Amino acid sequence: MASLIGRIPVATGNSSLSHRRALLALGGGNAVEWYDWMVYGLLASYIGPLYFPSGSSVSETMSALAVFAVGFAARPLGAIVFGTLADRIGRRAVMLFSIGSMVMSSLVIALLPSHASIGVWAGVILLASRILQGLSTGIEAPLNSAYIVELAPEGRTARFGTTISIYVQAGIVGASLVCFLTTSVVAPDAMASWGWRIPFAVGAVGGLVFLWLRRALPETLHTAGEKQAEPARVGEVWAEVWRHRLALLTIIFVVAGAQAIQYTWTTGLPNLARSAHHENSDHVFLVSTLAGICVAVLYPLVGRLADKKRISRTFIASRLAVVPVIFIVLAYQRPGMAMFTVVMLVGAPVLAFTMGLYNTVAATLMPTSCRVTGVGLGYAIGVAGFGGTAPYLLLWLQDLGAGWAFPVYGAVLCLLSILLYALVLRRGSVRVGN
C-alpha cells in the first residue's frame, strides 16, 4: 500500500521546516493560479460589454461567461500533455511552466484593448488568453494534488491536502477582496472602463514572486535515494491509466460534484446578483469575500477530522450533506442582498468540506506511476464538463424560469460521485487508512 501513495521525504535535516517551505512555494503558486482564474469570473459583468457588446447586460455577461467555460475546455488538453510529461520526467519543471503561463495570460488580459479599439480581435485574443490559462490550470491542480500526497508524512495526508486547499481558498478570497477594494476605490464609470484591469495586473505581479520560489522545490517522482530511471514511455503511462479506468471515472465525478458547487457559490451566484438582480457590486464582493473566509477557516478542521475518522468516511458524509444544502439557491429568486447573504453563508461550511477533500481523494485513486496523468485527465474533464459550465447553467436556467433544475443537477452529480467511490472502495484499489 505504501507504494501506491509513494511518499517521499523532501529533504534531510529539519524536515518540518522543509515541509513548510515546500508548502509555501507550492501553495502560494496555487493561490496565484486560482486568484487569476477566479478574477475573470468575478469581473465577467465588466468584461462582457467591452469585448462582446450587444446592448443587453445579461447577454454580454453570458458571453463573457461562455469564454470562461471555454477556458475549462482547454483543461483536458493541459492534463493530457503536461500530466504525461510530469509522470515521465518529473513534477518540478511542469510546475514552473504552469505558473509562468498563468502570469503571461493575466498580463495580456490586463493590457488588452477593447472591441471598440481593435474590433473582433479583442474577443479572439481574450479567448486565446483564457485557453492558455485553461492549459495551465488543467495541470496545476492535479499536479499539486499528486505532489502533496507524495510529500505528506504518514497519517497527515488530509491535513497536508487541506493546507493546500487553504492556499487555494486564499487565492479565491484574494480575488474577491481585490475586486471589492478596487470597486470601492475606483468610480463606477472608471471601473467599467479600465478599473477592472487592476486585479489582473495584481495577479501577474504575484505570480512572478511564486514562480521564483518554486525554483527551489524538490522532485518527488522517484523515492529518496532511488537512482532515477529512464523516463517512462508515453504508452506505459497511458496503459496504467487504462488499467485504472474505474478510478478515472470516479475522479471525474468526484471533481464534478465539488467544482459545480464551488463555481455556483464563487462565480454563478455573484454574477446572478450583479447582472440579473442588479445588486450593488461592492456589497456582492464583500459577501463573497466573507463566505470565502468562512470556508478557509474551516479547512484545518476538515483535515484533522478526515485524518482521524478516515478520508473515505468524511468524504462520503460531506457529499451527502451537499444534496439538501444546494437547494438553498432556490431562495434567491429575486433581488435582495439579505437573502443573497444568507445563501452564500449557509453554503460556506458544506463547500469547505467538499472542496477540502476532493483533491486528496482524487490523488489517492491513482498509483504514482500515472498519478498526475490520471488525476489530471479526470480533473480536467470534471471541471470542464461540470464546473466551468455551472455559472452559465445557473443564469440560463434562471432566465428560462427553470431555476429549480439547477440544484437537482448538482445533487445528482454528488450522488453519482458517492456511488462510484463506493465501487472503487469495494474493489480495494484505494488506500483509506488515513
Side-chain angles (χ1 to χ4, degrees), residues 35-71:
Y35 169 93
D36 287 339
W37 186 259
M38 293 304 301
V39 158
Y40 181 96
L42 289 169
L43 297 172
S45 57
Y46 292 102
I47 293 170
L50 292 175
Y51 294 94
F52 309 102
S54 67
S56 166
S57 61
V58 173
S59 177
E60 290 165 348
T61 300
M62 290 178 68
S63 294
L65 288 174
V67 173
F68 187 64
V70 169

PDB file of all heavy atoms in Angstrom, residues 35-71:
ATOM      1  N   TYR A  35      -6.343  32.691  -7.991  1.00  0.00           N
ATOM      2  CA  TYR A  35      -6.677  34.113  -7.993  1.00  0.00           C
ATOM      3  C   TYR A  35      -6.895  34.579  -9.432  1.00  0.00           C
ATOM      4  O   TYR A  35      -7.924  35.182  -9.767  1.00  0.00           O
ATOM      5  CB  TYR A  35      -5.554  34.913  -7.336  1.00  0.00           C
ATOM      6  CG  TYR A  35      -5.678  36.408  -7.528  1.00  0.00           C
ATOM      7  CD1 TYR A  35      -6.328  37.191  -6.582  1.00  0.00           C
ATOM      8  CD2 TYR A  35      -5.161  37.036  -8.670  1.00  0.00           C
ATOM      9  CE1 TYR A  35      -6.472  38.559  -6.759  1.00  0.00           C
ATOM     10  CE2 TYR A  35      -5.298  38.403  -8.854  1.00  0.00           C
ATOM     11  CZ  TYR A  35      -5.951  39.152  -7.898  1.00  0.00           C
ATOM     12  OH  TYR A  35      -6.088  40.502  -8.098  1.00  0.00           O
ATOM     13  N   ASP A  36      -5.914  34.318 -10.294  1.00  0.00           N
ATOM     14  CA  ASP A  36      -6.004  34.752 -11.692  1.00  0.00           C
ATOM     15  C   ASP A  36      -7.204  34.129 -12.394  1.00  0.00           C
ATOM     16  O   ASP A  36      -7.882  34.777 -13.197  1.00  0.00           O
ATOM     17  CB  ASP A  36      -4.716  34.390 -12.432  1.00  0.00           C
ATOM     18  CG  ASP A  36      -3.547  35.272 -12.025  1.00  0.00           C
ATOM     19  OD1 ASP A  36      -3.800  36.375 -11.512  1.00  0.00           O
ATOM     20  OD2 ASP A  36      -2.397  34.857 -12.216  1.00  0.00           O
ATOM     21  N   TRP A  37      -7.445  32.857 -12.090  1.00  0.00           N
ATOM     22  CA  TRP A  37      -8.555  32.160 -12.743  1.00  0.00           C
ATOM     23  C   TRP A  37      -9.898  32.739 -12.314  1.00  0.00           C
ATOM     24  O   TRP A  37     -10.785  32.969 -13.127  1.00  0.00           O
ATOM     25  CB  TRP A  37      -8.484  30.668 -12.402  1.00  0.00           C
ATOM     26  CG  TRP A  37      -9.491  29.844 -13.131  1.00  0.00           C
ATOM     27  CD1 TRP A  37     -10.667  29.366 -12.651  1.00  0.00           C
ATOM     28  CD2 TRP A  37      -9.420  29.410 -14.489  1.00  0.00           C
ATOM     29  NE1 TRP A  37     -11.334  28.659 -13.614  1.00  0.00           N
ATOM     30  CE2 TRP A  37     -10.576  28.668 -14.756  1.00  0.00           C
ATOM     31  CE3 TRP A  37      -8.475  29.573 -15.499  1.00  0.00           C
ATOM     32  CZ2 TRP A  37     -10.827  28.096 -15.995  1.00  0.00           C
ATOM     33  CZ3 TRP A  37      -8.733  28.992 -16.736  1.00  0.00           C
ATOM     34  CH2 TRP A  37      -9.898  28.270 -16.972  1.00  0.00           C
ATOM     35  N   MET A  38     -10.044  33.017 -11.016  1.00  0.00           N
ATOM     36  CA  MET A  38     -11.330  33.472 -10.493  1.00  0.00           C
ATOM     37  C   MET A  38     -11.610  34.933 -10.789  1.00  0.00           C
ATOM     38  O   MET A  38     -12.777  35.326 -10.900  1.00  0.00           O
ATOM     39  CB  MET A  38     -11.381  33.236  -8.976  1.00  0.00           C
ATOM     40  CG  MET A  38     -11.398  31.786  -8.574  1.00  0.00           C
ATOM     41  SD  MET A  38     -12.759  30.858  -9.321  1.00  0.00           S
ATOM     42  CE  MET A  38     -14.178  31.773  -8.715  1.00  0.00           C
ATOM     43  N   VAL A  39     -10.572  35.737 -10.910  1.00  0.00           N
ATOM     44  CA  VAL A  39     -10.773  37.168 -11.188  1.00  0.00           C
ATOM     45  C   VAL A  39     -11.600  37.344 -12.457  1.00  0.00           C
ATOM     46  O   VAL A  39     -12.488  38.196 -12.516  1.00  0.00           O
ATOM     47  CB  VAL A  39      -9.413  37.899 -11.293  1.00  0.00           C
ATOM     48  CG1 VAL A  39      -9.540  39.184 -12.089  1.00  0.00           C
ATOM     49  CG2 VAL A  39      -8.897  38.226  -9.891  1.00  0.00           C
ATOM     50  N   TYR A  40     -11.315  36.547 -13.463  1.00  0.00           N
ATOM     51  CA  TYR A  40     -12.081  36.671 -14.707  1.00  0.00           C
ATOM     52  C   TYR A  40     -13.564  36.412 -14.456  1.00  0.00           C
ATOM     53  O   TYR A  40     -14.435  37.162 -14.911  1.00  0.00           O
ATOM     54  CB  TYR A  40     -11.558  35.699 -15.760  1.00  0.00           C
ATOM     55  CG  TYR A  40     -12.306  35.815 -17.074  1.00  0.00           C
ATOM     56  CD1 TYR A  40     -11.810  36.601 -18.100  1.00  0.00           C
ATOM     57  CD2 TYR A  40     -13.528  35.160 -17.274  1.00  0.00           C
ATOM     58  CE1 TYR A  40     -12.516  36.730 -19.296  1.00  0.00           C
ATOM     59  CE2 TYR A  40     -14.233  35.291 -18.451  1.00  0.00           C
ATOM     60  CZ  TYR A  40     -13.720  36.072 -19.464  1.00  0.00           C
ATOM     61  OH  TYR A  40     -14.422  36.201 -20.626  1.00  0.00           O
ATOM     62  N   GLY A  41     -13.871  35.329 -13.734  1.00  0.00           N
ATOM     63  CA  GLY A  41     -15.266  35.015 -13.472  1.00  0.00           C
ATOM     64  C   GLY A  41     -15.977  36.100 -12.683  1.00  0.00           C
ATOM     65  O   GLY A  41     -17.121  36.444 -12.962  1.00  0.00           O
ATOM     66  N   LEU A  42     -15.277  36.668 -11.699  1.00  0.00           N
ATOM     67  CA  LEU A  42     -15.879  37.719 -10.872  1.00  0.00           C
ATOM     68  C   LEU A  42     -16.117  39.010 -11.645  1.00  0.00           C
ATOM     69  O   LEU A  42     -17.040  39.763 -11.335  1.00  0.00           O
ATOM     70  CB  LEU A  42     -14.980  38.000  -9.662  1.00  0.00           C
ATOM     71  CG  LEU A  42     -14.939  36.895  -8.594  1.00  0.00           C
ATOM     72  CD1 LEU A  42     -13.830  37.174  -7.592  1.00  0.00           C
ATOM     73  CD2 LEU A  42     -16.282  36.768  -7.883  1.00  0.00           C
ATOM     74  N   LEU A  43     -15.271  39.259 -12.647  1.00  0.00           N
ATOM     75  CA  LEU A  43     -15.363  40.503 -13.405  1.00  0.00           C
ATOM     76  C   LEU A  43     -16.048  40.333 -14.762  1.00  0.00           C
ATOM     77  O   LEU A  43     -15.994  41.226 -15.601  1.00  0.00           O
ATOM     78  CB  LEU A  43     -13.959  41.095 -13.603  1.00  0.00           C
ATOM     79  CG  LEU A  43     -13.243  41.504 -12.313  1.00  0.00           C
ATOM     80  CD1 LEU A  43     -11.801  41.897 -12.606  1.00  0.00           C
ATOM     81  CD2 LEU A  43     -13.975  42.653 -11.622  1.00  0.00           C
ATOM     82  N   ALA A  44     -16.697  39.192 -14.951  1.00  0.00           N
ATOM     83  CA  ALA A  44     -17.329  38.909 -16.247  1.00  0.00           C
ATOM     84  C   ALA A  44     -18.352  39.983 -16.628  1.00  0.00           C
ATOM     85  O   ALA A  44     -18.494  40.323 -17.807  1.00  0.00           O
ATOM     86  CB  ALA A  44     -17.993  37.533 -16.209  1.00  0.00           C
ATOM     87  N   SER A  45     -19.059  40.529 -15.639  1.00  0.00           N
ATOM     88  CA  SER A  45     -20.071  41.541 -15.958  1.00  0.00           C
ATOM     89  C   SER A  45     -19.449  42.853 -16.426  1.00  0.00           C
ATOM     90  O   SER A  45     -20.124  43.678 -17.050  1.00  0.00           O
ATOM     91  CB  SER A  45     -20.966  41.798 -14.737  1.00  0.00           C
ATOM     92  OG  SER A  45     -20.199  42.193 -13.621  1.00  0.00           O
ATOM     93  N   TYR A  46     -18.160  43.076 -16.129  1.00  0.00           N
ATOM     94  CA  TYR A  46     -17.434  44.248 -16.653  1.00  0.00           C
ATOM     95  C   TYR A  46     -16.793  43.931 -18.004  1.00  0.00           C
ATOM     96  O   TYR A  46     -16.721  44.792 -18.889  1.00  0.00           O
ATOM     97  CB  TYR A  46     -16.338  44.684 -15.682  1.00  0.00           C
ATOM     98  CG  TYR A  46     -16.848  45.257 -14.388  1.00  0.00           C
ATOM     99  CD1 TYR A  46     -16.855  44.492 -13.228  1.00  0.00           C
ATOM    100  CD2 TYR A  46     -17.341  46.561 -14.319  1.00  0.00           C
ATOM    101  CE1 TYR A  46     -17.325  45.008 -12.026  1.00  0.00           C
ATOM    102  CE2 TYR A  46     -17.812  47.085 -13.124  1.00  0.00           C
ATOM    103  CZ  TYR A  46     -17.806  46.304 -11.982  1.00  0.00           C
ATOM    104  OH  TYR A  46     -18.270  46.814 -10.800  1.00  0.00           O
ATOM    105  N   ILE A  47     -16.321  42.712 -18.151  1.00  0.00           N
ATOM    106  CA  ILE A  47     -15.616  42.311 -19.372  1.00  0.00           C
ATOM    107  C   ILE A  47     -16.573  42.183 -20.556  1.00  0.00           C
ATOM    108  O   ILE A  47     -16.258  42.595 -21.676  1.00  0.00           O
ATOM    109  CB  ILE A  47     -14.862  40.984 -19.125  1.00  0.00           C
ATOM    110  CG1 ILE A  47     -13.734  41.209 -18.116  1.00  0.00           C
ATOM    111  CG2 ILE A  47     -14.309  40.411 -20.426  1.00  0.00           C
ATOM    112  CD1 ILE A  47     -13.076  39.934 -17.629  1.00  0.00           C
ATOM    113  N   GLY A  48     -17.755  41.623 -20.317  1.00  0.00           N
ATOM    114  CA  GLY A  48     -18.712  41.379 -21.393  1.00  0.00           C
ATOM    115  C   GLY A  48     -19.025  42.583 -22.258  1.00  0.00           C
ATOM    116  O   GLY A  48     -18.908  42.516 -23.493  1.00  0.00           O
ATOM    117  N   PRO A  49     -19.407  43.729 -21.685  1.00  0.00           N
ATOM    118  CA  PRO A  49     -19.749  44.893 -22.521  1.00  0.00           C
ATOM    119  C   PRO A  49     -18.584  45.418 -23.350  1.00  0.00           C
ATOM    120  O   PRO A  49     -18.802  45.985 -24.427  1.00  0.00           O
ATOM    121  CB  PRO A  49     -20.193  45.942 -21.482  1.00  0.00           C
ATOM    122  CG  PRO A  49     -20.619  45.149 -20.301  1.00  0.00           C
ATOM    123  CD  PRO A  49     -19.713  43.963 -20.267  1.00  0.00           C
ATOM    124  N   LEU A  50     -17.354  45.251 -22.882  1.00  0.00           N
ATOM    125  CA  LEU A  50     -16.192  45.778 -23.600  1.00  0.00           C
ATOM    126  C   LEU A  50     -15.743  44.874 -24.746  1.00  0.00           C
ATOM    127  O   LEU A  50     -15.222  45.364 -25.753  1.00  0.00           O
ATOM    128  CB  LEU A  50     -15.023  45.981 -22.628  1.00  0.00           C
ATOM    129  CG  LEU A  50     -15.193  47.092 -21.589  1.00  0.00           C
ATOM    130  CD1 LEU A  50     -14.016  47.093 -20.627  1.00  0.00           C
ATOM    131  CD2 LEU A  50     -15.306  48.446 -22.284  1.00  0.00           C
ATOM    132  N   TYR A  51     -15.944  43.580 -24.609  1.00  0.00           N
ATOM    133  CA  TYR A  51     -15.432  42.646 -25.616  1.00  0.00           C
ATOM    134  C   TYR A  51     -16.527  41.945 -26.408  1.00  0.00           C
ATOM    135  O   TYR A  51     -16.264  41.431 -27.491  1.00  0.00           O
ATOM    136  CB  TYR A  51     -14.524  41.612 -24.932  1.00  0.00           C
ATOM    137  CG  TYR A  51     -13.279  42.254 -24.372  1.00  0.00           C
ATOM    138  CD1 TYR A  51     -13.223  42.677 -23.060  1.00  0.00           C
ATOM    139  CD2 TYR A  51     -12.165  42.483 -25.183  1.00  0.00           C
ATOM    140  CE1 TYR A  51     -12.102  43.313 -22.554  1.00  0.00           C
ATOM    141  CE2 TYR A  51     -11.040  43.105 -24.690  1.00  0.00           C
ATOM    142  CZ  TYR A  51     -11.009  43.526 -23.368  1.00  0.00           C
ATOM    143  OH  TYR A  51      -9.891  44.162 -22.886  1.00  0.00           O
ATOM    144  N   PHE A  52     -17.754  41.941 -25.881  1.00  0.00           N
ATOM    145  CA  PHE A  52     -18.872  41.310 -26.586  1.00  0.00           C
ATOM    146  C   PHE A  52     -20.111  42.200 -26.503  1.00  0.00           C
ATOM    147  O   PHE A  52     -21.160  41.789 -25.986  1.00  0.00           O
ATOM    148  CB  PHE A  52     -19.164  39.929 -25.969  1.00  0.00           C
ATOM    149  CG  PHE A  52     -17.946  39.049 -25.854  1.00  0.00           C
ATOM    150  CD1 PHE A  52     -17.310  38.900 -24.633  1.00  0.00           C
ATOM    151  CD2 PHE A  52     -17.430  38.402 -26.964  1.00  0.00           C
ATOM    152  CE1 PHE A  52     -16.180  38.108 -24.508  1.00  0.00           C
ATOM    153  CE2 PHE A  52     -16.305  37.611 -26.858  1.00  0.00           C
ATOM    154  CZ  PHE A  52     -15.673  37.470 -25.624  1.00  0.00           C
ATOM    155  N   PRO A  53     -20.026  43.439 -27.008  1.00  0.00           N
ATOM    156  CA  PRO A  53     -21.152  44.378 -26.891  1.00  0.00           C
ATOM    157  C   PRO A  53     -22.378  43.900 -27.664  1.00  0.00           C
ATOM    158  O   PRO A  53     -22.279  43.478 -28.814  1.00  0.00           O
ATOM    159  CB  PRO A  53     -20.585  45.672 -27.484  1.00  0.00           C
ATOM    160  CG  PRO A  53     -19.474  45.235 -28.393  1.00  0.00           C
ATOM    161  CD  PRO A  53     -18.886  44.019 -27.760  1.00  0.00           C
ATOM    162  N   SER A  54     -23.559  43.948 -26.988  1.00  0.00           N
ATOM    163  CA  SER A  54     -24.799  43.519 -27.644  1.00  0.00           C
ATOM    164  C   SER A  54     -25.986  44.388 -27.240  1.00  0.00           C
ATOM    165  O   SER A  54     -27.053  44.283 -27.837  1.00  0.00           O
ATOM    166  CB  SER A  54     -25.110  42.060 -27.271  1.00  0.00           C
ATOM    167  OG  SER A  54     -25.432  41.947 -25.906  1.00  0.00           O
ATOM    168  N   GLY A  55     -25.807  45.214 -26.197  1.00  0.00           N
ATOM    169  CA  GLY A  55     -26.906  46.051 -25.735  1.00  0.00           C
ATOM    170  C   GLY A  55     -27.695  45.460 -24.590  1.00  0.00           C
ATOM    171  O   GLY A  55     -28.505  46.144 -23.977  1.00  0.00           O
ATOM    172  N   SER A  56     -27.473  44.180 -24.273  1.00  0.00           N
ATOM    173  CA  SER A  56     -28.165  43.515 -23.170  1.00  0.00           C
ATOM    174  C   SER A  56     -27.127  43.126 -22.117  1.00  0.00           C
ATOM    175  O   SER A  56     -26.188  42.374 -22.418  1.00  0.00           O
ATOM    176  CB  SER A  56     -28.907  42.272 -23.649  1.00  0.00           C
ATOM    177  OG  SER A  56     -29.303  41.463 -22.567  1.00  0.00           O
ATOM    178  N   SER A  57     -27.279  43.603 -20.880  1.00  0.00           N
ATOM    179  CA  SER A  57     -26.290  43.306 -19.838  1.00  0.00           C
ATOM    180  C   SER A  57     -26.213  41.815 -19.527  1.00  0.00           C
ATOM    181  O   SER A  57     -25.129  41.265 -19.317  1.00  0.00           O
ATOM    182  CB  SER A  57     -26.613  44.091 -18.563  1.00  0.00           C
ATOM    183  OG  SER A  57     -27.889  43.737 -18.060  1.00  0.00           O
ATOM    184  N   VAL A  58     -27.360  41.139 -19.509  1.00  0.00           N
ATOM    185  CA  VAL A  58     -27.357  39.699 -19.239  1.00  0.00           C
ATOM    186  C   VAL A  58     -26.676  38.940 -20.368  1.00  0.00           C
ATOM    187  O   VAL A  58     -25.856  38.043 -20.152  1.00  0.00           O
ATOM    188  CB  VAL A  58     -28.791  39.175 -19.019  1.00  0.00           C
ATOM    189  CG1 VAL A  58     -28.790  37.651 -18.906  1.00  0.00           C
ATOM    190  CG2 VAL A  58     -29.410  39.793 -17.783  1.00  0.00           C
ATOM    191  N   SER A  59     -26.993  39.318 -21.624  1.00  0.00           N
ATOM    192  CA  SER A  59     -26.391  38.657 -22.784  1.00  0.00           C
ATOM    193  C   SER A  59     -24.884  38.870 -22.819  1.00  0.00           C
ATOM    194  O   SER A  59     -24.113  37.944 -23.117  1.00  0.00           O
ATOM    195  CB  SER A  59     -27.035  39.181 -24.069  1.00  0.00           C
ATOM    196  OG  SER A  59     -26.414  38.611 -25.196  1.00  0.00           O
ATOM    197  N   GLU A  60     -24.434  40.082 -22.521  1.00  0.00           N
ATOM    198  CA  GLU A  60     -22.994  40.387 -22.531  1.00  0.00           C
ATOM    199  C   GLU A  60     -22.265  39.604 -21.440  1.00  0.00           C
ATOM    200  O   GLU A  60     -21.175  39.069 -21.670  1.00  0.00           O
ATOM    201  CB  GLU A  60     -22.786  41.886 -22.343  1.00  0.00           C
ATOM    202  CG  GLU A  60     -23.229  42.703 -23.549  1.00  0.00           C
ATOM    203  CD  GLU A  60     -23.371  44.190 -23.239  1.00  0.00           C
ATOM    204  OE1 GLU A  60     -23.346  44.561 -22.036  1.00  0.00           O
ATOM    205  OE2 GLU A  60     -23.529  44.985 -24.187  1.00  0.00           O
ATOM    206  N   THR A  61     -22.880  39.524 -20.273  1.00  0.00           N
ATOM    207  CA  THR A  61     -22.269  38.756 -19.190  1.00  0.00           C
ATOM    208  C   THR A  61     -22.223  37.275 -19.532  1.00  0.00           C
ATOM    209  O   THR A  61     -21.221  36.590 -19.271  1.00  0.00           O
ATOM    210  CB  THR A  61     -23.054  38.957 -17.877  1.00  0.00           C
ATOM    211  OG1 THR A  61     -23.046  40.340 -17.536  1.00  0.00           O
ATOM    212  CG2 THR A  61     -22.430  38.158 -16.743  1.00  0.00           C
ATOM    213  N   MET A  62     -23.277  36.766 -20.130  1.00  0.00           N
ATOM    214  CA  MET A  62     -23.296  35.353 -20.519  1.00  0.00           C
ATOM    215  C   MET A  62     -22.253  35.054 -21.586  1.00  0.00           C
ATOM    216  O   MET A  62     -21.642  33.976 -21.597  1.00  0.00           O
ATOM    217  CB  MET A  62     -24.698  34.955 -20.991  1.00  0.00           C
ATOM    218  CG  MET A  62     -25.717  34.901 -19.868  1.00  0.00           C
ATOM    219  SD  MET A  62     -27.397  34.476 -20.416  1.00  0.00           S
ATOM    220  CE  MET A  62     -27.155  32.761 -20.912  1.00  0.00           C
ATOM    221  N   SER A  63     -21.992  36.010 -22.494  1.00  0.00           N
ATOM    222  CA  SER A  63     -20.934  35.823 -23.498  1.00  0.00           C
ATOM    223  C   SER A  63     -19.568  35.738 -22.828  1.00  0.00           C
ATOM    224  O   SER A  63     -18.732  34.900 -23.181  1.00  0.00           O
ATOM    225  CB  SER A  63     -20.952  36.981 -24.499  1.00  0.00           C
ATOM    226  OG  SER A  63     -22.135  36.981 -25.253  1.00  0.00           O
ATOM    227  N   ALA A  64     -19.338  36.620 -21.834  1.00  0.00           N
ATOM    228  CA  ALA A  64     -18.078  36.576 -21.108  1.00  0.00           C
ATOM    229  C   ALA A  64     -17.951  35.273 -20.323  1.00  0.00           C
ATOM    230  O   ALA A  64     -16.866  34.685 -20.243  1.00  0.00           O
ATOM    231  CB  ALA A  64     -17.967  37.771 -20.161  1.00  0.00           C
ATOM    232  N   LEU A  65     -19.053  34.788 -19.738  1.00  0.00           N
ATOM    233  CA  LEU A  65     -19.031  33.521 -19.019  1.00  0.00           C
ATOM    234  C   LEU A  65     -18.856  32.335 -19.963  1.00  0.00           C
ATOM    235  O   LEU A  65     -18.308  31.296 -19.574  1.00  0.00           O
ATOM    236  CB  LEU A  65     -20.317  33.349 -18.202  1.00  0.00           C
ATOM    237  CG  LEU A  65     -20.438  34.241 -16.964  1.00  0.00           C
ATOM    238  CD1 LEU A  65     -21.815  34.083 -16.330  1.00  0.00           C
ATOM    239  CD2 LEU A  65     -19.343  33.925 -15.951  1.00  0.00           C
ATOM    240  N   ALA A  66     -19.310  32.471 -21.222  1.00  0.00           N
ATOM    241  CA  ALA A  66     -19.068  31.418 -22.207  1.00  0.00           C
ATOM    242  C   ALA A  66     -17.571  31.274 -22.473  1.00  0.00           C
ATOM    243  O   ALA A  66     -17.054  30.162 -22.612  1.00  0.00           O
ATOM    244  CB  ALA A  66     -19.820  31.727 -23.503  1.00  0.00           C
ATOM    245  N   VAL A  67     -16.852  32.407 -22.536  1.00  0.00           N
ATOM    246  CA  VAL A  67     -15.391  32.359 -22.678  1.00  0.00           C
ATOM    247  C   VAL A  67     -14.775  31.730 -21.429  1.00  0.00           C
ATOM    248  O   VAL A  67     -13.806  30.968 -21.511  1.00  0.00           O
ATOM    249  CB  VAL A  67     -14.827  33.781 -22.917  1.00  0.00           C
ATOM    250  CG1 VAL A  67     -13.300  33.772 -22.887  1.00  0.00           C
ATOM    251  CG2 VAL A  67     -15.315  34.317 -24.250  1.00  0.00           C
ATOM    252  N   PHE A  68     -15.348  32.042 -20.268  1.00  0.00           N
ATOM    253  CA  PHE A  68     -14.923  31.419 -19.015  1.00  0.00           C
ATOM    254  C   PHE A  68     -15.026  29.901 -19.128  1.00  0.00           C
ATOM    255  O   PHE A  68     -14.111  29.161 -18.749  1.00  0.00           O
ATOM    256  CB  PHE A  68     -15.818  31.944 -17.888  1.00  0.00           C
ATOM    257  CG  PHE A  68     -15.399  31.532 -16.499  1.00  0.00           C
ATOM    258  CD1 PHE A  68     -14.194  31.950 -15.967  1.00  0.00           C
ATOM    259  CD2 PHE A  68     -16.241  30.759 -15.719  1.00  0.00           C
ATOM    260  CE1 PHE A  68     -13.827  31.603 -14.679  1.00  0.00           C
ATOM    261  CE2 PHE A  68     -15.885  30.408 -14.431  1.00  0.00           C
ATOM    262  CZ  PHE A  68     -14.673  30.823 -13.911  1.00  0.00           C
ATOM    263  N   ALA A  69     -16.140  29.406 -19.684  1.00  0.00           N
ATOM    264  CA  ALA A  69     -16.347  27.973 -19.839  1.00  0.00           C
ATOM    265  C   ALA A  69     -15.395  27.373 -20.871  1.00  0.00           C
ATOM    266  O   ALA A  69     -14.918  26.250 -20.707  1.00  0.00           O
ATOM    267  CB  ALA A  69     -17.798  27.694 -20.240  1.00  0.00           C
ATOM    268  N   VAL A  70     -15.098  28.114 -21.955  1.00  0.00           N
ATOM    269  CA  VAL A  70     -14.171  27.615 -22.975  1.00  0.00           C
ATOM    270  C   VAL A  70     -12.779  27.397 -22.384  1.00  0.00           C
ATOM    271  O   VAL A  70     -12.078  26.452 -22.738  1.00  0.00           O
ATOM    272  CB  VAL A  70     -14.106  28.586 -24.178  1.00  0.00           C
ATOM    273  CG1 VAL A  70     -12.968  28.221 -25.116  1.00  0.00           C
ATOM    274  CG2 VAL A  70     -15.427  28.566 -24.944  1.00  0.00           C
ATOM    275  N   GLY A  71     -12.393  28.270 -21.455  1.00  0.00           N
ATOM    276  CA  GLY A  71     -11.118  28.071 -20.777  1.00  0.00           C
ATOM    277  C   GLY A  71     -11.066  26.730 -20.081  1.00  0.00           C
ATOM    278  O   GLY A  71     -10.027  26.058 -20.065  1.00  0.00           O
TER     279      GLY A  71
END
